[in-house]
Amino acid sequence: MTTAPTEQPAPHPVSFFSQAASFEELWPEIRARVCEVLDDGKFSHGSQVARLETALAEWTGARHCVAVNSGTDALVLLLRAAGLQPGDEVVVPAFSFIATASSVVLAGGRPVFADIEPETYALDPRAAADAVTPRTTMLMPVHLFSQMADMDALARVAERYRLTLVEDSAEAIGMRWNGVHAGLLGAGGVLSFFPTKTLGAIGDAGAILTDDPHIAETAAALRHHGRTGRTLAHFPGINNATELNGVNSKTDDLQAAVLLAKLPRLAAAVRRRRELADAYTERLRDLPGLLRLPTLARRDADTDPVFYVYLVEAERRDGLAAHLADHGIGTETYYPTPLHLQPCFAELGYKQGQFPHAEAACERTLALPLHPDLTHADIDAVCARIRAYYTGRAAA
């Protein structure tokens, strides 16, 4: 007796990220702003950047916004402006992008790692408290993928040990905690405008958010070689002197022009990402092989999730990623190596097994396509290929 062949999903390539269609829709407005930059003749730290800082401050509710050339630089300059001194320890999660910890080193400090909450992938407040030593001066949670860390509990840890609370909120534009935007629950936070972000440029750009005028003024000086005065339109009355050892980290006006064109559509972009995430969840729920879909933590706060990444935990994660790639579907592994086991931090002496939740996440997590050009047909194709892989119907 012959068995009828199992129907295979139709080929349907899906890139991990694309903004070609949405960018084309925005192009008339972007072109007009780019022409303004060309006519003005100031391509770095000009009028478009000043407008962007004002617009971002209004959108997030921050008193101050300082635009810089990347999310990584934003972290480094925020740490320095918030008072990090050489050798100071900063508690950070063991599961995050490398810049979370490398920024501490670049700012002169020493990262101290702690485990994460498995549900949110964010810094576990109890683990953070256990990591504090007499040399610890700062606590830096990270808001990853779709939701914020437990800021109430982390604020209590910071208060108990008299630590400065700063936020790696690079992915978190639009996320709020009881109405307060991510990055504004402590001394300050950051935004990244890397192209794949919810609000993305066409290159590198970033910003520092803070309600503290001293931190804003210091960060603004640090981004421009430590100079004060004429470049600090928001802080008049100080001389044009080089009082700090700073860097060159100014935002290009061309990037600011793109971001200004996109910002009025940000709320709609957030809603669209949530709609696409819901579509994934509906199709993937209860599928054998998927160990976890995005789960929003129960908090004693009103929170606003924003799906920058749709992250699943999967059995045979690397095999699944390879299978999807074979069928033209892009994925991303967040993050293949936990921070405490990165070679650049070997001298800190951490060992495998110290942070089991972070290590498990590194072995199992996979990000599926989620971007402005994604359609429900694309999601159908991705989910069909995942289902085929785990039910044994995948092509060899």
Side-chain angles (χ1 to χ4, degrees):
M1 179 177 178
T2 57
T3 304
T6 304
E7 183 180 352
Q8 297 291 319
H12 189 124
V14 182
S15 60
F16 180 69
F17 176 77
S18 173
Q19 61 173 345
S22 53
F23 193 86
E24 184 176 359
E25 181 183 337
L26 281 168
W27 175 239
E29 185 171 346
I30 292 173
R31 180 176 57 189
R33 289 188 176 275
V34 168
C35 287
E36 282 187 46
V37 175
L38 298 176
D39 290 341
D40 184 52
K42 187 167 176 58
F43 306 121
S44 177
H45 200 60
S47 61
Q48 296 284 340
V49 174
R51 292 178 205 170
L52 177 64
E53 290 177 326
T54 299
L56 286 170
E58 291 177 354
W59 202 93
T60 61
R63 288 182 61 194
H64 305 288
C65 175
V66 180
V68 295
N69 74 0
S70 71
T72 301
D73 271 8
L75 284 172
V76 175
L77 300 186
L78 172 62
L79 289 166
R80 289 186 60 187
L84 188 71
Q85 298 299 309
D88 284 356
E89 292 180 350
V90 182
V91 177
V92 298
F95 181 72
S96 184
F97 183 56
I98 188 68
T100 297
S102 65
S103 64
V104 175
V105 176
L106 292 170
R110 179 184 177 93
V112 175
F113 298 110
D115 212 351
I116 59 169
E117 297 177 319
E119 203 173 44
T120 65
Y121 307 105
L123 184 63
D124 185 326
R126 290 171 295 183
D130 290 342
V132 174
T133 79
R135 296 178 297 279
T136 307
T137 63
M138 292 191 180
L139 179 64
M140 187 163 72
V142 186
H143 310 309
L144 286 177
F145 309 131
S146 59
Q147 61 191 310
M148 294 177 65
D150 188 342
M151 293 307 295
D152 286 346
L154 289 164
R156 290 192 291 269
V157 173
E159 183 178 9
R160 185 189 318 156
Y161 295 102
R162 298 183 179 180
L163 307 177
T164 300
L165 180 62
V166 295
E167 297 169 67
D168 181 347
S169 47
E171 299 181 1
I173 194 163
M175 296 185 194
R176 297 177 188 271
W177 186 274
N178 282 334
V180 179
H181 195 278
L184 298 173
L185 290 114
V190 304
L191 297 174
S192 169
F193 304 119
F194 186 74
T196 61
K197 294 294 192 288
T198 307
L199 178 63
I202 55 173
D204 285 315
I208 296 166
L209 301 176
T210 183
D211 288 335
D212 186 322
H214 173 73
I215 289 177
E217 179 181 331
T218 304
L222 288 170
R223 71 175 167 184
H224 190 55
H225 303 286
R227 299 175 67 190
T228 59
R230 65 181 176 83
T231 62
L232 306 183
H234 298 299
F235 304 102
I238 50 182
N239 60 24
N240 185 20
T242 304
E243 299 176 355
L244 302 168
N245 288 313
V247 297
N248 182 16
S249 183
K250 301 184 295 296
T251 300
D252 293 339
D253 276 58
L254 291 175
Q255 302 299 343
V258 172
L259 293 168
L260 282 167
K262 287 185 169 186
L263 188 58
R265 297 167 174 81
L266 179 56
V270 168
R271 290 193 298 270
R272 175 61 175 169
R273 283 175 175 265
R274 190 173 300 159
E275 175 188 318
L276 294 170
D278 289 344
Y280 267 128
T281 299
E282 179 183 349
R283 290 158 175 77
L284 295 175
R285 186 181 287 115
D286 300 324
L287 178 63
L290 293 185
L291 304 172
R292 185 194 299 271
L293 301 181
T295 304
L296 298 179
R298 299 181 66 179
R299 303 294 198 196
D300 293 327
D302 291 329
T303 59
D304 298 318
V306 176
F307 279 88
Y308 163 55
V309 167
Y310 190 89
L311 197 76
V312 302
E313 291 188 27
E315 293 179 351
R316 295 177 284 139
R317 184 269 312 274
D318 295 340
L320 174 61
H323 165 73
L324 293 174
D326 287 343
H327 291 86
I329 296 171
T331 61
E332 191 72 36
T333 302
Y334 289 87
Y335 299 96
T337 303
L339 292 179
H340 65 289
L341 299 181
Q342 289 284 1
C344 60
F345 301 126
E347 65 177 19
L348 298 178
Y350 290 97
K351 304 297 182 185
Q352 189 166 357
Q354 282 188 256
F355 306 118
H357 294 312
E359 293 173 27
C362 288
E363 293 174 357
R364 302 193 301 225
T365 53
L366 187 70
L368 304 180
L370 186 69
H371 54 74
D373 295 350
L374 197 71
T375 67
H376 284 270
D378 293 332
I379 292 177
D380 287 338
V382 174
C383 295
R385 285 296 175 188
I386 295 173
R387 185 172 299 278
Y389 180 75
Y390 284 119
T391 57
R393 297 198 302 270

